[in-house]
mmCIF file of all heavy atoms in Angstrom:
data_model
loop_
_atom_site.group_PDB
_atom_site.id
_atom_site.type_symbol
_atom_site.label_atom_id
_atom_site.label_comp_id
_atom_site.label_asym_id
_atom_site.label_seq_id
_atom_site.Cartn_x
_atom_site.Cartn_y
_atom_site.Cartn_z
ATOM 1 N N PHE R 293 155.056 -95.748 109.840
ATOM 2 C CA PHE R 293 156.428 -95.654 110.373
ATOM 3 C C PHE R 293 157.371 -95.140 109.278
ATOM 4 O O PHE R 293 158.215 -94.280 109.509
ATOM 5 C CB PHE R 293 156.929 -97.017 110.865
ATOM 6 C CG PHE R 293 156.165 -97.575 112.039
ATOM 7 C CD1 PHE R 293 156.510 -98.817 112.579
ATOM 8 C CD2 PHE R 293 155.108 -96.881 112.619
ATOM 9 C CE1 PHE R 293 155.824 -99.343 113.668
ATOM 10 C CE2 PHE R 293 154.407 -97.407 113.704
ATOM 11 C CZ PHE R 293 154.770 -98.650 114.220
ATOM 12 N N ALA R 294 157.213 -95.712 108.067
ATOM 13 C CA ALA R 294 158.109 -95.344 106.960
ATOM 14 C C ALA R 294 157.875 -93.901 106.533
ATOM 15 O O ALA R 294 158.806 -93.199 106.142
ATOM 16 C CB ALA R 294 157.891 -96.298 105.784
ATOM 17 N N GLU R 295 156.637 -93.468 106.613
ATOM 18 C CA GLU R 295 156.315 -92.094 106.216
ATOM 19 C C GLU R 295 156.876 -91.083 107.228
ATOM 20 O O GLU R 295 157.452 -90.064 106.851
ATOM 21 C CB GLU R 295 154.786 -91.947 106.119
ATOM 22 C CG GLU R 295 154.318 -90.550 105.719
ATOM 23 C CD GLU R 295 152.792 -90.448 105.661
ATOM 24 O OE1 GLU R 295 152.100 -91.459 105.905
ATOM 25 O OE2 GLU R 295 152.310 -89.335 105.385
ATOM 26 N N LEU R 296 156.711 -91.386 108.513
ATOM 27 C CA LEU R 296 157.114 -90.416 109.539
ATOM 28 C C LEU R 296 158.620 -90.453 109.827
ATOM 29 O O LEU R 296 159.213 -89.426 110.129
ATOM 30 C CB LEU R 296 156.344 -90.669 110.843
ATOM 31 C CG LEU R 296 154.842 -90.427 110.791
ATOM 32 C CD1 LEU R 296 154.204 -90.830 112.116
ATOM 33 C CD2 LEU R 296 154.530 -88.957 110.500
ATOM 34 N N ARG R 297 159.202 -91.636 109.779
ATOM 35 C CA ARG R 297 160.621 -91.792 110.068
ATOM 36 C C ARG R 297 161.067 -90.996 111.297
ATOM 37 O O ARG R 297 162.006 -90.184 111.220
ATOM 38 C CB ARG R 297 161.464 -91.385 108.863
ATOM 39 C CG ARG R 297 161.666 -92.499 107.851
ATOM 40 C CD ARG R 297 162.808 -93.384 108.275
ATOM 41 N NE ARG R 297 162.827 -94.678 107.587
ATOM 42 C CZ ARG R 297 163.407 -95.765 108.105
ATOM 43 N NH1 ARG R 297 163.978 -95.725 109.288
ATOM 44 N NH2 ARG R 297 163.407 -96.907 107.456
ATOM 45 N N PRO R 298 160.423 -91.201 112.434
ATOM 46 C CA PRO R 298 160.828 -90.448 113.625
ATOM 47 C C PRO R 298 162.149 -91.002 114.162
ATOM 48 O O PRO R 298 162.596 -92.066 113.735
ATOM 49 C CB PRO R 298 159.690 -90.725 114.608
ATOM 50 C CG PRO R 298 159.173 -92.060 114.200
ATOM 51 C CD PRO R 298 159.362 -92.165 112.707
ATOM 52 N N GLU R 299 162.759 -90.278 115.098
ATOM 53 C CA GLU R 299 163.988 -90.803 115.699
ATOM 54 C C GLU R 299 163.705 -92.093 116.443
ATOM 55 O O GLU R 299 164.484 -93.025 116.407
ATOM 56 C CB GLU R 299 164.573 -89.773 116.666
ATOM 57 C CG GLU R 299 165.414 -88.718 115.969
ATOM 58 C CD GLU R 299 165.677 -87.551 116.886
ATOM 59 O OE1 GLU R 299 166.364 -87.745 117.902
ATOM 60 O OE2 GLU R 299 165.170 -86.448 116.590
ATOM 61 N N GLU R 300 162.579 -92.105 117.152
ATOM 62 C CA GLU R 300 162.215 -93.319 117.885
ATOM 63 C C GLU R 300 160.732 -93.613 117.735
ATOM 64 O O GLU R 300 159.916 -92.691 117.651
ATOM 65 C CB GLU R 300 162.513 -93.164 119.389
ATOM 66 C CG GLU R 300 163.992 -93.150 119.705
ATOM 67 C CD GLU R 300 164.289 -93.127 121.203
ATOM 68 O OE1 GLU R 300 163.394 -93.513 122.007
ATOM 69 O OE2 GLU R 300 165.406 -92.707 121.554
ATOM 70 N N ILE R 301 160.423 -94.915 117.728
ATOM 71 C CA ILE R 301 159.020 -95.341 117.771
ATOM 72 C C ILE R 301 158.820 -96.103 119.074
ATOM 73 O O ILE R 301 159.620 -96.982 119.410
ATOM 74 C CB ILE R 301 158.672 -96.225 116.552
ATOM 75 C CG1 ILE R 301 158.674 -95.368 115.280
ATOM 76 C CG2 ILE R 301 157.308 -96.883 116.734
ATOM 77 C CD1 ILE R 301 158.505 -96.153 113.994
ATOM 78 N N TRP R 302 157.816 -95.708 119.801
ATOM 79 C CA TRP R 302 157.468 -96.441 121.028
ATOM 80 C C TRP R 302 156.166 -97.166 120.734
ATOM 81 O O TRP R 302 155.176 -96.560 120.290
ATOM 82 C CB TRP R 302 157.281 -95.485 122.198
ATOM 83 C CG TRP R 302 158.529 -94.741 122.587
ATOM 84 C CD1 TRP R 302 159.795 -94.895 122.062
ATOM 85 C CD2 TRP R 302 158.643 -93.713 123.587
ATOM 86 N NE1 TRP R 302 160.667 -94.028 122.663
ATOM 87 C CE2 TRP R 302 159.998 -93.292 123.609
ATOM 88 C CE3 TRP R 302 157.733 -93.116 124.461
ATOM 89 C CZ2 TRP R 302 160.448 -92.302 124.465
ATOM 90 C CZ3 TRP R 302 158.178 -92.125 125.322
ATOM 91 C CH2 TRP R 302 159.538 -91.734 125.330
#
Side-chain angles (χ1 to χ4, degrees):
F293 295 179
E295 180 181 359
L296 294 175
R297 274 277 163 205
E299 277 166 65
E300 290 185 21
I301 290 173
W302 296 356

